[in-house]
Amino acid sequence: MTEPGDPRGTRWGARRFSLRGRVTLLAAACVAGAVALVSIGAYMVVRSNLYQQLDDSLLARAQAAANSPQVQTELRQVPGAFLASADLQIGQLNAAPDVQHAVMTYPLSSSPPPFGQDELAVANGDSPESLRTDFRSDSRVVALPTGHGEAIVLAQSMGPTKRTLNELALVLFLIGGAGILVAAAAGTAVARTGLRPVDRLTSAAERVARTGDLRPIPVSGDDELARLTQTFNTMLGTVADSQERQRQLVADAGHELRTPLTSLRTNLELLLAASKPGAPPLRDEDRVDIIADISGQLDELTQLIGDLVELARQDEPRERFERVELLEVVERALDRARRRAGEINFDVSLQPWVLTGDNSSLERAVLNLLDNAVKFSPPDATVWVRLYPLGDGTAVVEVADAGPGIAEEDLPKVFDRFYRSSEARTLPGSGLGLAIVKHAAERHGGAVYASQAPEGGALMTIRLPGAPG
């Protein structure tokens, strides 16, 4: 026995009522219902026809007997049909006030047919004919008048008809039972074949949960289950890509963190060694340089950790998206960029644009482009900022600087994580700013581009879908 909450009982119940078993039972039940309806209908139609044929035949023979010539036998006249009625009970009923006084004349070689008030009414002229079932003798009885005060009565056993119906019922039952068994076998085969992809999916899910192996499942056919397998493979590919990105991010972050941490450790060890008793003191200039170096490395670590957190936060589900006024997003980013841009000027031209997305993510992306342009622009230079629609359901945010530009071989790589061109290696930064821009654009269904500005600097572009504001 298992308790109600025992998982063993749940698993046993799941196996007992598995999908394969339900498909088999459904197929068998459908066929059983169809066979039962067809068999009952066929039986009722045949039964009605057989009994109708029995009645028609009995009435026809009774009419023939009533119209047959009289013959003399034992000084009495009786219908000639008495001489050809081997499969019937036939007799001539003479009228009387009641059944007890009625006289039935019948052939000596057979038994008299049953009669009652219905037949007596025909003999008395009160009814033109009578047709009924006599349950005591299990026969159909018909009576027709043959003259004044007389009626001929015929009775035929329903035994042969019932035997035929019983044989028909047995045949229908056997054929129906065989059909149900065949349907159950066919349902089992169909369920086993049709659910094989589901079994593969189940095995693959169990394999992923057990081993973390994200290999795709072979797809065969083009039905719904094949599409389900393809969807599952797509999900596995997405999970594999996500894991690979996570591993690459951790590896890149570890590589980038190693340099400032090593430098911090070296500088701290120098400060600690100089503070020990008997150690030669550091010059004031060296101490100031070490402290400034430590401060700069801490700032670099802080920015790097912040960018890593931003990249992780941008993987949040799209359900948090809302209506975004892109013009307002760019203006907020410009306000923040101006406060730390120093002597850099901004030439701004913005047109309204609306999309569905994450305000903070898009603002951080635009701010990263502005900070990047400020970093590479010389003092008193101008950074050009443009927001305008392209007329194809998208708009672009363009940020151009007055710096040295980007080498042709670096253009395809500037949005990669931790990639820094040779000109940027000596400048502060984590190497994640443009990667955050690319991630934000792609998350909103857009794209990013890097090219040379007409004035000679770098031109960074974000292209986003939406509608005019």
Side-chain angles (χ1 to χ4, degrees), residues 376-407:
F376 286 97
S377 296
D380 295 325
T382 299
V383 172
W384 289 267
V385 183
R386 300 289 185 267
L387 166 59
Y388 59 92
L390 297 180
D392 59 353
T394 63
V396 292
V397 178
E398 295 180 345
V399 178
D401 60 49
I406 305 174

Side-chain angles (χ1 to χ4, degrees), residues 61 65 68-73 78-87 90 106-110:
R61 297 179 70 174
S68 63
Q70 299 286 320
V71 297
Q72 188 74 25
T73 173
V78 298
F82 279 17
L83 305 179
S85 57
D87 60 336
I90 186 170
Y106 58 93
L108 297 178
S109 59
S110 66

Side-chain angles (χ1 to χ4, degrees), residues 430-443:
S430 64
L432 290 174
L434 294 182
I436 291 174
V437 175
K438 178 181 179 182
H439 194 284
E442 291 177 347
R443 186 169 176 240

Side-chain angles (χ1 to χ4, degrees), residues 4-5 29 84 120 160 169 171 189 194 199 218 220 254 277 333 336 338 346 354 382 412:
L120 190 60
V171 170
D199 293 336
S220 59
R336 296 172 62 183
R338 286 191 179 103
F346 290 90
V354 178
T382 299

Side-chain angles (χ1 to χ4, degrees), residues 1 46 66 115 147 181 187 210 214 221 238 253 311 341 358 372 385 412 428 433 452 466:
M1 290 289 291
V46 172
F115 65 94
L181 293 177
R210 185 176 62 256
L214 299 177
T238 302
L311 280 175
D358 183 358
N372 190 73
V385 183
Q452 301 291 350

Side-chain angles (χ1 to χ4, degrees), residues 124-417:
N124 288 329
D126 298 330
S127 177
E129 66 179 18
S130 170
L131 178 62
R132 66 182 179 91
T133 299
D134 185 75
F135 294 100
R136 289 179 298 178
S137 61
D138 192 24
S139 59
R140 293 286 283 175
V141 180
V142 62
L144 292 176
T146 56
H148 181 70
E150 292 180 347
I152 191 166
V153 179
L154 277 76
Q156 186 167 8
S157 174
M158 293 190 298
T161 303
K162 288 186 175 181
R163 282 193 298 273
T164 302
L165 291 175
N166 290 337
E167 292 173 357
L168 175 63
L170 179 61
V171 170
L172 292 175
F173 177 79
L174 293 177
I175 293 177
I180 293 172
L181 293 177
V182 171
T188 301
V190 170
R192 183 180 294 110
T193 303
L195 296 178
R196 190 171 294 125
V198 177
D199 293 336
R200 288 201 298 267
L201 287 177
T202 303
S203 300
E206 292 174 348
R207 186 192 72 225
V208 170
R210 185 176 62 256
T211 65
D213 184 5
L214 299 177
R215 288 176 300 172
I217 306 169
V219 181
S220 59
D222 57 355
D223 55 5
E224 290 80 1
L225 291 176
R227 284 165 38 208
L228 176 61
T229 305
Q230 292 173 348
T231 303
F232 190 80
N233 286 340
T234 303
M235 181 188 70
L236 290 179
T238 302
V239 174
D241 291 342
S242 177
Q243 288 186 350
E244 182 60 29
R245 288 196 303 269
Q246 289 176 357
R247 284 193 292 266
Q248 187 64 39
L249 179 61
V250 171
D252 293 341
H255 176 73
E256 293 293 324
L257 287 170
R258 188 177 295 114
T259 300
L261 287 175
T262 301
S263 181
L264 274 174
R265 181 174 182 177
T266 301
N267 288 328
L268 289 174
E269 287 176 349
L270 285 173
L271 290 176
L272 291 174
S275 65
K276 290 181 179 179
L282 286 173
R283 293 183 304 169
D284 290 342
E285 296 83 357
D286 293 337
R287 185 180 296 275
V288 170
D289 290 341
I290 291 174
I291 292 175
D293 195 13
I294 291 175
S295 178
Q297 289 157 358
L298 287 175
D299 290 341
E300 186 176 349
L301 281 175
T302 301
Q303 183 179 358
L304 178 59
I305 293 172
D307 289 341
L308 289 173
V309 171
E310 178 66 19
L311 280 175
R313 193 184 72 82
Q314 286 189 354
D315 286 330
E316 293 176 352
R318 295 175 61 94
E319 284 75 6
R320 298 187 57 180
F321 280 10
E322 58 188 0
R323 177 185 172 90
V324 176
E325 297 283 350
L326 192 57
L327 185 147
E328 297 178 0
V329 168
V330 176
E331 288 179 340
R332 289 196 301 268
L334 278 167
D335 291 340
R336 296 172 62 183
R338 286 191 179 103
R339 288 195 293 268
R340 52 198 185 193
E343 300 175 354
I344 301 297
N345 301 311
F346 290 90
D347 185 331
V348 180
S349 175
L350 307 177
Q351 298 182 36
W353 190 256
V354 178
L355 70 154
T356 300
D358 183 358
N359 269 291
S360 60
S361 174
L362 291 172
E363 183 178 340
R364 177 62 183 270
V366 176
L367 181 60
N368 284 358
L369 290 185
L370 295 174
D371 287 342
N372 190 73
V374 169
K375 181 170 63 174
F376 286 97
S377 296
D380 295 325
T382 299
V383 172
W384 289 267
V385 183
R386 300 289 185 267
L387 166 59
Y388 59 92
L390 297 180
D392 59 353
T394 63
V396 292
V397 178
E398 295 180 345
V399 178
D401 60 49
I406 305 174
E408 290 293 332
E409 62 271 14
D410 292 330
L411 286 176
K413 306 174 184 177
V414 294
F415 292 103
D416 294 345
R417 290 174 178 173

